[in-house]
Amino acid sequence: MIFCYNAGMNSKEKTKMTRNIVPDNFTITLALVDALPVLFFGATMILIGTLFSHPLFLAGAILTTITGVVKVLWKIIVVLKKKNIWWMFVQMRMLMPVGFFLMLLSLILGRNSLSATRIWNGLISFPSVFFFIIGVIGMAAMILFAAKLDSSDSKANWIEQATNGVAQASFFVGVLIIIINAT
């Protein structure tokens, strides 16, 4: 296995994790902090599931959460065993979109049980709207980071996890406010 070393790489090489790279600058703290966005996402899906219980939504939320858990486990293995179990790294790219697709499909198929007006009013109500704006900005930043940052670099991972953590926490608080206001 090749340990991650970025000196002398061009920018295109720096942004591409491969099965042969074992990041040597990851820490257990980084791996555990990576679990926070997964926990916030899972908690948000539970909250939404209390309002909208469609089997495809549940399946998509579970699949998406599991992909996050597997990625956290991948980082823990990288830190503790100095091994890159490649399928654990790449599974997220394939399975997470499937999970999101299932959730979106459930909203389309279960639209008769939803009130678009109530959802919209909840999203734009004060103060939840600020949390959703922060969440959307965070997700947009994550898309940019995926294209620009080196996924094998510890500093890039800290930036990604801090951003993702704030975004997922913001979505959680926004949904929680909607649910509290609805009761």
Side-chain angles (χ1 to χ4, degrees):
M1 296 279 181
I2 298 169
F3 282 83
C4 179
Y5 181 67
N6 292 330
M9 290 183 177
N10 67 38
S11 62
K12 193 164 191 99
E13 289 172 318
K14 287 173 118 176
T15 60
K16 182 86 170 140
M17 172 69 87
T18 69
R19 71 177 66 245
N20 297 324
I21 293 176
V22 178
D24 63 351
N25 55 0
F26 284 11
T27 64
I28 196 67
T29 304
L30 174 64
L32 295 176
V33 167
D34 194 18
L36 292 175
V38 177
L39 292 172
F40 280 121
F41 177 83
T44 302
M45 294 303 101
I46 290 169
L47 289 175
I48 293 171
T50 64
L51 300 173
F52 179 66
S53 59
H54 192 282
L56 287 178
F57 182 84
L58 178 62
I62 289 170
L63 179 61
T64 304
T65 303
I66 288 172
T67 65
V69 170
V70 170
K71 185 73 177 280
V72 170
L73 292 174
W74 173 81
K75 279 188 182 172
I76 291 171
I77 291 168
V78 164
V79 171
L80 297 179
K81 299 288 187 181
K82 300 295 183 210
K83 282 182 81 172
N84 178 352
I85 301 175
W86 186 243
W87 71 265
M88 292 177 80
F89 178 80
V90 298
Q91 56 81 33
M92 194 173 211
R93 295 179 194 164
M94 295 172 275
L95 297 177
M96 189 173 276
V98 172
F100 283 122
F101 173 76
L102 290 173
M103 288 187 283
L104 179 61
L105 184 59
S106 75
L107 294 173
I108 294 166
L109 295 175
R111 68 186 173 276
N112 293 336
S113 66
L114 299 171
S115 168
T117 303
R118 286 184 66 195
I119 293 170
W120 180 250
N121 288 340
L123 291 173
I124 64 168
S125 67
F126 179 81
S128 62
V129 65
F130 294 114
F131 291 101
F132 291 119
I133 290 170
I134 292 167
V136 168
I137 290 170
M139 290 297 92
M142 289 299 291
I143 292 168
L144 179 66
F145 296 160
K148 298 290 183 184
L149 294 181
D150 178 356
S151 59
S152 67
D153 179 61
S154 176
K155 182 180 177 184
N157 269 262
W158 279 109
I159 292 167
E160 290 171 343
Q161 292 322 310
T163 303
N164 196 16
V166 168
Q168 295 305 326
S170 296
F171 285 132
F172 174 77
V173 172
V175 170
L176 186 61
I177 290 169
I178 290 172
I179 289 174
I180 289 170
N181 288 341
T183 57

